[in-house]
Structures are given as C-alpha cells and as structure tokens.
Amino acid sequence: KKSLKNARALLDTVLIMHINNDLGNLSLKKDNTTKALSYFLKNTTLNPFLNKNSIIFNQTIINLSKVYFKKKEYLKSLKYLHQTLKFAKTNKNASHLFNSYIQLSKNHLALHHKDSTYIYLKLAEDLQKKTSLIDDELKLQQTYAEAYEVFKDYQNALKHKTKYFNTFIKQFKNNSIQKLKEEEVRQNIEDYKKQKNIAEQEAKFLNQRNKLYIIIGLSLIVLIILALSFLYHLDKTKKEIENKNAKLHQLNTTKDKFFSIIAHDIRSPIIALETVEEQIDFYLKKNSQKKIKQTAKNISLTTKKLNSLLDNLLNWALLQQGLIPYNPKNLNLKKIINGSVELFKINALSKNINICSIVNDDIFIFTDELTTNTILRNLISNAIKFTKKGGKITIQAKKINDAILIIIADTGIGISQKKIADIFSLKTHNKASGTSGEKGTGLGLKLVKEMVILNKGEISVQSDLGKGSKFTIKLPFK
C-alpha cells in the first residue's frame, strides 16, 4: 500500500497496475474475493495506457478470471479467459496459451461441459508436447485426472494420476541430480582451495631447499678455494703454512661433523683429504712438483664427487620421506637435455668424450622439471664415468604410442649380466670405479629409478661387457 501511494505520486501507471495486481493476488490468497476484485477492476479503468502495455492488461484479465472462478461464477470467468486466450494467440505466447487452455478446461469442468473440457485439455496436451515443460506436464495430468474423476471414468482418472505421479518423481529426481551436481561443484571448489594451499606449501619448501643447496654449494666452494690457496702458497714460510693448516683443520672438523650424519659413504673421501698435508709435506721434501699437482687434482676430483654425492643423498633422503614434490608440466625435452649436457661439458672434454644429442625441437614430456633434471644428470654423469677416453655418448628421443623414449647410449666398459639384475639397488658390488678411477656409491641409479617411477615412467638397461651400455627411459607426454 505504501508502494501504491508512491506510484500514484509519481504518476507511474505501469507501476500502479503491477501493485494493484499484487494486492489483488494477496487478497485472493486470503479468500477475500471482494477486495481482490476491486483491485483488478481498478486496472481496467486505466484505459489510455492499456494499448501501450497489453502484457500488464492481460495479467489483470487472467486475475479477473481467477476471482470469478473462485466465486464459482464460471461464465464470467470464461468471458475473461477467452480474452486472455485471444491475447496469447496474437502474441504467440506458448506459456499464456497453455495456461489459458488449462483454465478454460477447468471452467467447463465446473460447468460439467464434458466435450468442451476434453477439447481444451487436448489443445493443452498438443501444446505441452511441443514445449516438453515438466511443470506443464504436471498441470495437464492433474487436470485430466480431475476431469475423468468428475465424469466417473475412474480407469482413465487412475491412468492420469499415475502419469502425474511418475512425472513428479522424474522432476524430483532431476532436482536431486541438480543439487548433487551443485554439491559436486562446491566440493571441487573446496578441493581446489586445499590443493592451492598444498601447492603454496610445496613452493615454500622448494624455496627453503634451494637456499640450503646454495649454502652447501658455497661451503664446498670455500673448501676448494682454501685447499687450492693452501697448495699455491706452500713455498711460503712455515708460519703461514701452519696458519692455513689451522684454518683447514677447523673447516675439516666442521665438515666431518656435518657429513657424518648424512651418510657413511662420505667418510672415505674426507679421510683422503685429511692426509693431504702429510703428502704435500713429503713431496715438498722430495721436491716433486708433479706429485704436488697430482695431489691438487685429486683434491679437486674428491670435492666434485662430494658435491654430486651430497646432492644425491639429499634427494634420496627427501624421497624416502615423501617430501620431493611432484608438479608435472609440459617440458621441452631438447632444452632440458642440452642443459644437463652443458653441466658435464668440462668432464667430457677432460676425457675427450664426444656427446651427441639427437632430439627434435617439437618433443615435449609431461613430468616434474626438478626430478627430470636429476634423472638426466645422473645418467649422463654415469655415461661419462664409465666411458674410456676418446669414447662417444649418444642421446636420442622418439615418440611411441602414449610415451616418449629417451635413450642414453655409451661406448664404455659395459656391465655384466649378473650386475644388471641388481643395478638399480644399493648392493655393495654396484660401487664400481670409472675408467679414470672415479668412485661412486651406487646411490645414483637407485635415485634415478625412484624418480622415474615418481614421474609415472619406466627405466631399463641393456649392456655388453667391453661394448657399452644403453639406458632407456619411458616418460609420459601431454
């Protein structure tokens, strides 16, 4: 009523008619047909505007038919229904037309006009078949059932009651499925939020691990620099040698404490470093520059081995704890292989080994970048280690079915069939020396196997003693 007052003040005829319709329907719900009729009839007095907005007028006419139907003045109700039927036909409004047919059938049913009732029901049925609306189907079957019941055709009444019930159940199921789908979408959103949170935690972990690698790498570099500096200044005074030795001893003590809790296999190269002073002192007395240079070379090889071994041990420990994240994405294989080969270029040159990479630019793999790099580094490093000077290493890639095969072949010393069976385990006899005396723990290939499995791949090896080895990795692509 407050809205009606404001609409009149604004001289808004459209709004006045809408509010009159609302007030009339509210009165009709409270069975106050007299008041409802007064509101609807007020709309019919707004003639100047009716032609401009016939939809509002038509709604008023429908409401008038409802009032007279409720008052059981069926002939007056029919009069208004025929008007709204004409409007629906003119405007080709299927919804209004269907509802007009249903209401007309109900009016004729109330008047016990059997033929007219069924005629309008048939018209409504034909229209419903075209629209296939569930709500219209429910109205149609319910009105059919009421009509057959009034005219005492109980068999057909039961038939349409059954159709009504089946349609209702169908609608109920559809609504339930829709709710389930909505719940599924909601659950997917929740899962996405959880996964996002996990991804953020993994990113944080990677950042912390990278910082740890930097610290460890810097520590090893400092160790190498101090050792080389110590060797280059051996000809200086004994006091300088003692000072350098004190610093080196302090670093070795700290280093021994740290490495002792990582793995037993690191102790051997550290012990070798501890004897450097005595060896150099001995060679100085013998004035053997060649031996001193060889000792320096041995120190460099040992520290490189420590760096590689430490990297593998850390990865192994993380794998065992399930802390290495698996974040697969599309990776350009050629780019990754070239990056790994570049890391070992100096090692290969020192042994005059030719590394040949035959990989097309358009080959992609769907794997975790960090672990894939670790896999390739270990396999390339092993190939260099067990290939004699002047040898060759070939890296190829090809697509088969739903996977990419990466083949790393060398012309090295090969592996016996007995050892191949346990090559991916941590048994003692896997700790073989390289062609230039390079040492290893056998951890690298075990780590490779674990990371290949993590990336949903497979790895195999073929080898002949004295002819070389071929490692084949099968990885997925997207």
Side-chain angles (χ1 to χ4, degrees):
K1 287 180 178 179
K2 287 182 180 179
S3 297
L4 183 60
K5 184 178 179 180
N6 291 333
R8 285 172 176 166
L10 293 168
L11 301 177
D12 191 333
T13 309
V14 176
L15 188 55
I16 291 170
M17 294 180 75
H18 277 301
I19 296 169
N20 279 336
N21 279 334
D22 289 341
L23 286 167
N25 281 318
L26 286 170
S27 301
L28 195 59
K29 286 181 180 179
K30 297 175 74 175
D31 294 325
N32 192 338
T33 55
T34 303
K35 185 173 283 190
L37 191 60
S38 68
Y39 281 120
F40 296 144
L41 288 173
K42 284 177 184 177
N43 276 356
T44 63
T45 64
L46 301 172
N47 290 327
F49 190 77
L50 296 184
N51 293 333
K52 296 180 182 179
N53 203 325
S54 57
I55 294 176
I56 296 176
F57 174 65
N58 182 65
Q59 189 59 54
T60 301
I61 298 303
I62 292 171
N63 289 336
L64 283 167
S65 71
K66 289 180 183 177
V67 175
Y68 284 116
F69 185 81
K70 196 157 191 174
K71 287 165 68 75
K72 297 185 179 180
E73 296 181 30
Y74 302 119
L75 291 175
K76 286 186 178 180
S77 178
L78 281 171
K79 169 189 169 184
Y80 288 110
L81 279 172
H82 281 294
Q83 288 185 50
T84 191
L85 179 64
K86 182 179 178 182
F87 170 84
K89 287 180 177 179
T90 302
N91 290 276
K92 296 181 181 179
N93 190 312
S95 177
H96 285 175
L97 192 58
F98 174 81
N99 287 318
S100 297
Y101 286 146
I102 291 293
Q103 198 58 45
L104 281 164
S105 67
K106 286 184 177 181
N107 273 262
H108 283 283
L109 178 61
L111 293 167
H112 285 267
H113 296 163
K114 185 176 181 180
D115 292 340
S116 300
T117 299
Y118 289 138
I119 286 171
Y120 284 115
L121 278 173
K122 185 63 172 64
L123 289 169
E125 183 179 8
D126 292 341
L127 192 59
Q128 192 277 329
K129 286 178 179 178
K130 293 179 182 179
T131 60
S132 300
L133 297 174
I134 298 293
D135 288 339
D136 288 353
E137 172 74 6
L138 288 171
K139 288 181 186 177
L140 179 67
Q141 298 303 329
Q142 187 176 28
T143 310
Y144 257 127
E146 289 173 1
Y148 282 119
E149 191 173 354
V150 168
F151 296 124
K152 302 186 185 305
D153 186 347
Y154 299 114
Q155 187 173 357
N156 275 320
L158 179 61
K159 171 186 171 184
H160 286 282
K161 277 286 186 183
T162 303
K163 283 185 178 180
Y164 172 84
F165 176 75
N166 290 336
T167 304
F168 179 81
I169 292 298
K170 180 181 177 182
Q171 185 184 38
F172 178 78
K173 286 181 178 178
N174 288 340
N175 289 340
S176 298
I177 290 170
Q178 181 62 30
K179 287 181 180 178
L180 285 172
K181 287 180 178 178
E182 290 172 359
E183 176 61 22
E184 185 180 355
V185 170
R186 187 194 67 77
Q187 189 61 45
N188 285 340
I189 292 172
E190 289 296 322
D191 291 343
Y192 166 76
K193 289 179 179 177
K194 290 178 182 177
Q195 290 172 1
K196 182 182 178 184
N197 187 37
I198 291 171
E200 289 173 350
Q201 291 175 354
E202 289 176 348
K204 185 178 179 182
F205 162 77
L206 282 173
N207 186 42
Q208 291 173 344
R209 195 184 70 176
N210 288 337
K211 288 180 180 178
L212 178 61
Y213 279 167
I214 292 171
I215 292 170
I216 293 171
L218 289 174
S219 298
L220 290 171
I221 291 170
V222 169
L223 180 64
I224 294 169
I225 291 172
L226 288 174
L228 291 173
S229 177
F230 178 74
L231 291 173
Y232 289 143
H233 295 85
L234 285 175
D235 57 339
K236 291 186 178 181
T237 63
K238 185 177 180 181
K239 186 177 180 179
E240 286 179 330
I241 293 174
E242 289 174 352
N243 289 337
K244 293 291 182 180
N245 184 60
K247 292 179 182 179
L248 184 59
H249 179 72
Q250 184 180 2
L251 286 171
N252 279 334
T253 301
T254 304
K255 173 195 63 181
D256 289 341
K257 289 179 181 178
F258 178 73
F259 285 146
S260 65
I261 61 174
I262 297 178
H264 176 269
D265 288 316
I266 299 181
R267 291 178 182 173
S268 178
I270 290 177
I271 291 170
L273 287 175
E274 288 177 343
T275 63
V276 167
E277 181 189 359
E278 295 176 5
Q279 293 176 36
I280 293 173
D281 189 49
F282 176 79
Y283 294 140
L284 278 173
K285 290 177 181 179
K286 294 291 184 178
N287 197 24
S288 177
Q289 294 295 325
K290 183 178 180 181
K291 290 290 185 180
I292 292 173
K293 288 181 180 179
Q294 182 62 42
T295 303
K297 183 179 179 181
N298 290 340
I299 291 174
S300 178
L301 290 173
T302 300
T303 51
K304 286 179 181 178
K305 176 194 166 185
L306 282 172
N307 186 32
S308 174
L309 185 57
L310 180 58
D311 187 51
N312 279 346
L313 284 170
L314 286 173
N315 280 317
W316 170 255
L318 292 171
L319 266 174
Q320 299 311 300
Q321 298 175 59
L323 294 177
I324 287 190
Y326 173 65
N327 297 312
K329 59 183 179 180
N330 282 322
L331 302 172
N332 184 280
L333 184 57
K334 184 173 183 178
K335 185 177 179 181
I336 287 187
I337 289 176
N338 287 346
S340 296
V341 170
E342 187 67 25
L343 290 175
F344 298 101
K345 184 180 286 185
I346 294 175
N347 302 53
L349 286 173
S350 68
K351 296 178 73 173
N352 194 26
I353 293 172
N354 177 31
I355 301 178
C356 179
S357 176
I358 310 170
V359 182
N360 292 335
D361 293 327
D362 60 347
I363 294 182
F364 285 80
I365 52 175
F366 188 66
T367 59
D368 176 74
E369 186 171 4
L370 184 67
T371 52
T372 302
N373 279 323
T374 302
I375 291 167
L376 292 171
R377 285 201 304 268
N378 272 283
L379 291 177
I380 294 171
S381 174
N382 266 14
I384 294 172
K385 177 179 175 182
F386 295 108
T387 299
K388 294 180 180 180
K389 291 182 179 181
K392 183 178 181 181
I393 297 170
T394 305
I395 305 172
Q396 300 180 65
K398 58 184 178 181
K399 184 186 293 185
I400 58 159
N401 299 328
D402 59 346
I404 297 294
L405 289 186
I406 304 171
I407 302 163
I408 300 176
D410 62 61
T411 59
I413 60 177
I415 310 163
S416 68
Q417 294 304 310
K418 183 179 178 181
K419 288 186 177 182
I420 283 178
D422 298 314
I423 197 168
F424 295 113
S425 69
L426 291 176
K427 292 190 176 182
T428 305
H429 63 253
N430 282 336
K431 300 179 182 181
S433 298
T435 56
S436 295
E438 302 99 324
K439 301 293 184 181
T441 63
L443 179 61
L445 287 178
K446 176 63 176 172
L447 184 65
V448 166
K449 179 70 176 287
E450 296 278 349
M451 288 188 172
V452 167
I453 294 172
L454 179 68
N455 282 284
K456 307 187 188 322
E458 301 172 7
I459 185 169
S460 61
V461 58
Q462 293 176 303
S463 185
D464 291 317
L465 278 174
K467 294 183 179 180
S469 302
K470 180 169 72 174
F471 285 82
T472 303
I473 313 167
K474 183 180 179 182
L475 293 173
F477 75 89
K478 185 178 180 183

